[in-house]
Amino acid sequence: MKKALASGGVIINKNSKKILILKRKNGNWVLPKGHVEDEEKPEDTAIREAKEETGLNVKIIDYVGKTHYFAPATEKHPDEEKTVIWFLMETEEDSIKVEEGIFSDGRFFNFQEAHNFLTFNQEKEILKRAYELYLIKNNEKKLHVLMLTWEYPPRIVGGLSRHVHDLSRHLAKQNVKVSVITCEAPNVPFEEHFDNLSVYRVPEKLIDSYNFISWIYLLNISMIVKAMEINSKESVDIIHSHDWLTTFSAYTLKHSLKKPLISTIHATEYGRNQGIYTDEQRFIHNVEWWLTYESWKVIVCSLNMREEVKKLFNLPEDKIIVLPNGIDIENLKTNLNIEEIKNIYAPNKEKIILFIGRMHPQKGAEYLLRAIPIVLNRIQNVKFIFVGTGPQLGSLIEEAKYLGIIEKTIFTGFIDDNLRNALLHTADICVFPSIYEPFGIVALEAMALGKPVIASRVGGFSEIIEDGKDGILFEPKNVYDLAEKIIFTLTNEEQIQVIKNNAVQKVREKYLWDKIAQETKNLYFNVYQEYLKTDW
């Protein structure tokens, strides 16, 4: 017969959702086992017995001592080894009775009353964290994730913007509270609030900056100010930083709020430039190392990236988590007329071969450009469209003129998502000739729409695409191999149809955001649970 249940100065009743704190006749609050040794302070008892229970020098978190039943000495209760929180999550009892002869005081309080009633910090922390863990495990508390990113729609520089946008929205759908802090953008409000998702845009510069690095510093200062304001209204549980550009705010917030930091490394400075050659590149590389060092876990999008960051930043393997990028098929819709768009860009009914990406050496647009004369030598009824802007755009246009193919090429520069999606729908082939590609979201988007994808055999592409089954790979920088693969795709309709069908099936099975957001949520929970068991 159970008579009393006491442990750690806190008992949480499942049904009443109240906390029971107990006080012995000698005036001491009940600690993990209540065994205060000679000349030992209550705080020391809590620390010592937590160490005995967990093997770690921590504040008592995951369980607050063992359950104790006051019963005849000959009786061994079957639940004796169960923890207080575990027991009370399982029990259906409405209350726990206290044996008056043992305890001078034993009453139920709500959380705030109990927290205020305790007199020393160790027990306050035990109560706070034990109760928080209880709420999370029972889905009564939403994890509050603070996401830091320098780009977010409508500000789109690369794939990072779409990644954070889709991830944050799908986490919010799965009952995670997400607060995104990002850089301001024209014609959008500084704050937007949706169900479980808030987007805060901060001024991109407080004063004029003389270079990109100083601009980033100033942006991070604005982010820190906004983050502290958000945290003062609702405490942040997890900080999630995307790439090196938000490292300064991530580091400051981690240590000031004392909350776990998770980072996602979307690409590395070494990989983008195929080496480190300048002082600025060296600085960025060092900041990337710093971010991964400070992070509880480091997320990467592919096995290839896992090996890259492990080698570049000397990371232990168990610190790196591989979570692929995903797509939301809803984002690929367009309200433009597909046939009209096709007639504008290919008025002579040519086959459209589409490139989408930044005009940067990393994306390899020049290799597709140089493959065009080889393709035209065999097949003339084609049009090549290059979508995107960047430092190479002008030189690529000049090279197209030099190669005599300007009539067969269109350079759109920057276009909005509506037209971009329309061009994806009109394309007959999508080509991605990157020389460095951690993942390649746009390739997934093309595959989801049933477009044959030709991509270089590098990084994430070689993991997403199974050559000849759901896409086609070519040797990076090899314009002859690329040209042959384009010609093959244009002239083997039956085989290509099988590839297209397989591609659609793969994307729907492995790369939709609902699944990836759930895996990210699980990671958040595991990290936060580990954090609650530390003394930080």
Side-chain angles (χ1 to χ4, degrees):
M1 181 72 180
K2 296 188 285 290
K3 294 183 180 179
L5 183 68
S7 182
V10 53
I11 294 174
I12 302 169
N13 183 271
K14 178 181 180 181
N15 297 311
S16 66
K17 298 179 184 175
K18 294 290 186 69
I19 297 112
L20 175 65
I21 59 176
L22 302 168
K23 188 176 184 182
R24 291 186 183 282
K25 285 185 175 181
N26 63 9
N28 287 333
W29 291 104
V30 179
L31 294 166
K33 294 179 184 174
H35 298 162
V36 181
E37 295 182 353
D38 293 341
E39 300 181 357
E40 189 174 49
K41 293 179 181 179
E43 294 96 326
D44 297 331
T45 301
I47 294 170
R48 174 178 58 77
E49 293 191 338
K51 189 171 183 179
E52 290 175 5
E53 294 287 355
T54 65
L56 300 171
N57 187 20
V58 298
K59 295 169 184 174
I60 308 154
I61 308 301
D62 195 35
Y63 51 85
V64 189
K66 295 178 180 177
T67 56
H68 286 263
Y69 304 94
F70 291 86
T74 56
E75 179 183 342
K76 179 175 174 60
H77 198 280
D79 288 332
E80 186 176 357
E81 296 302 311
K82 288 187 178 179
T83 67
V84 171
I85 293 177
W86 187 93
F87 175 82
L88 283 164
M89 285 195 298
E90 296 295 321
T91 187
E92 298 300 327
E93 293 187 35
D94 292 330
S95 63
I96 302 293
K97 293 182 179 179
V98 177
E99 189 174 7
E100 292 181 2
I102 298 176
F103 298 103
S104 62
D105 189 7
R107 6 184 244 272
F108 282 102
F109 298 86
N110 64 36
F111 169 67
Q112 196 58 49
E113 288 172 337
H115 192 264
N116 293 336
F117 199 64
L118 294 175
T119 56
F120 55 89
N121 290 333
Q122 179 72 24
E123 283 286 81
K124 284 178 181 287
E125 191 67 18
I126 291 169
L127 174 59
K128 177 184 175 185
R129 293 195 177 198
Y131 188 59
E132 189 166 4
L133 185 65
Y134 168 80
L135 293 176
I136 291 171
K137 284 184 174 179
N138 286 275
N139 295 315
E140 295 180 30
K141 169 185 162 62
K142 298 175 185 177
L143 276 174
H144 184 191
V145 177
L146 181 72
M147 238 177 237
L148 305 171
T149 175
W150 83 299
E151 55 170 313
Y152 191 88
R155 186 187 188 95
I156 299 173
V157 180
L160 188 154
S161 179
R162 291 187 175 90
H163 171 101
V164 180
H165 175 258
D166 291 340
L167 176 60
S168 60
R169 286 193 312 111
H170 284 271
L171 284 168
K173 288 179 184 177
Q174 297 184 20
N175 214 31
V176 176
K177 179 172 176 55
V178 184
S179 296
V180 176
I181 303 181
T182 188
C183 183
E184 67 177 314
N187 305 317
V188 288
F190 276 93
E191 289 189 21
E192 292 182 291
H193 299 281
F194 313 96
D195 290 341
N196 290 330
L197 172 62
S198 296
V199 180
Y200 301 89
R201 296 181 176 89
V202 299
E204 66 172 290
K205 59 181 180 179
L206 303 172
I207 57 175
D208 288 336
S209 52
Y210 61 89
N211 61 21
F212 181 63
I213 299 297
S214 64
W215 180 84
I216 288 296
Y217 272 124
L218 293 169
L219 176 63
N220 274 260
I221 290 172
S222 295
M223 287 181 162
I224 292 166
V225 172
K226 179 56 67 175
M228 298 302 286
E229 178 189 323
I230 293 167
N231 185 72
S232 68
K233 295 175 182 176
E234 183 172 352
S235 180
V236 168
D237 299 315
I238 297 275
I239 302 162
H240 189 166
S241 176
H242 290 269
D243 266 357
W244 74 272
L245 300 105
T246 53
T247 298
F248 313 107
S249 53
Y251 170 82
T252 304
L253 294 167
K254 169 192 169 180
H255 288 282
S256 58
L257 302 180
K258 291 190 170 11
K259 291 297 168 69
L261 168 64
I262 294 172
S263 62
T264 297
I265 302 298
H266 295 265
T268 68
E269 188 70 2
Y270 183 97
R272 282 186 291 266
N273 298 288
Q274 300 295 287
I276 300 295
Y277 306 106
T278 68
D279 287 341
E280 181 175 280
Q281 291 170 1
R282 191 169 296 106
F283 173 80
I284 293 171
H285 173 75
N286 289 339
V287 174
E288 289 171 342
W289 170 85
W290 181 29
L291 177 60
T292 63
Y293 173 79
E294 291 288 343
S295 298
W296 201 294
K297 295 289 183 184
V298 176
I299 300 172
V300 294
C301 57
S302 64
L303 296 174
N304 184 270
M305 274 297 290
R306 182 181 68 184
E307 293 307 306
E308 184 175 334
V309 299
K310 179 181 171 183
K311 178 181 176 183
L312 286 176
F313 308 130
N314 198 28
L315 291 178
E317 195 157 313
D318 62 356
K319 190 173 185 175
I320 310 168
I321 306 297
V322 179
L323 293 176
N325 284 321
I327 65 162
D328 186 337
I329 294 174
E330 288 295 309
N331 292 343
L332 301 178
K333 290 182 177 179
T334 179
N335 59 19
L336 298 176
N337 185 294
I338 302 302
E339 286 305 313
E340 287 181 7
I341 295 297
K342 195 173 182 72
N343 289 334
I344 291 170
Y345 285 87
N348 298 317
K349 307 299 182 186
E350 299 104 324
K351 297 286 187 180
I352 292 178
I353 298 170
L354 181 67
F355 166 92
I356 299 177
R358 285 180 296 120
M359 300 303 167
H360 183 280
Q362 172 192 339
K363 296 298 182 179
E366 65 264 40
Y367 302 107
L368 174 58
L369 194 71
R370 293 163 195 166
I372 294 174
I374 305 171
V375 174
L376 292 175
N377 214 26
R378 298 264 298 276
I379 301 172
Q380 288 75 45
N381 192 36
V382 287
K383 182 66 71 72
F384 292 82
I385 302 176
F386 292 79
V387 174
T389 189
Q392 278 192 313
L393 181 57
S395 62
L396 289 170
I397 293 172
E398 290 305 312
E399 186 169 358
K401 293 176 183 176
Y402 174 77
L403 292 172
I405 57 171
I406 195 66
E407 298 299 322
K408 287 291 187 177
T409 58
I410 296 175
F411 293 89
T412 68
F414 177 81
I415 59 175
D416 62 29
D417 281 352
N418 202 23
L419 179 54
R420 169 188 174 275
N421 291 348
L423 287 172
L424 265 175
H425 281 274
T426 65
D428 294 286
I429 302 173
C430 293
V431 179
F432 306 104
S434 304
I435 61 173
Y436 171 72
E437 191 62 66
F439 191 78
I441 293 177
V442 70
L444 278 185
E445 292 175 332
M447 291 167 69
L449 293 176
K451 304 300 176 182
V453 169
I454 302 174
S456 49
R457 196 186 299 273
V458 297
F461 287 151
S462 58
E463 293 178 37
I464 295 171
I465 296 170
E466 188 174 343
D467 189 22
K469 182 176 180 181
D470 44 43
I472 295 174
L473 298 175
F474 73 96
E475 293 307 310
K477 301 184 180 181
N478 189 328
V479 296
Y480 297 101
D481 190 25
L482 173 55
E484 286 300 319
K485 297 297 170 62
I486 293 172
I487 292 166
F488 172 84
T489 305
L490 290 168
T491 55
N492 288 272
E493 186 176 337
E494 192 172 320
Q495 288 176 261
I496 295 304
Q497 187 58 52
V498 174
I499 287 174
K500 289 157 61 174
N501 294 341
N502 290 340
V504 171
Q505 183 178 350
K506 174 181 272 189
V507 171
R508 291 181 179 274
E509 288 177 356
K510 295 183 64 176
Y511 295 109
L512 296 186
W513 267 118
D514 284 339
K515 179 177 183 294
I516 296 159
Q518 181 60 55
E519 292 174 354
T520 307
K521 179 181 176 181
N522 292 343
L523 174 63
Y524 289 156
F525 178 82
N526 291 338
V527 167
Y528 197 65
Q529 195 169 23
E530 289 175 9
Y531 157 76
L532 285 176
K533 297 177 187 178
T534 70
D535 58 357
W536 186 45

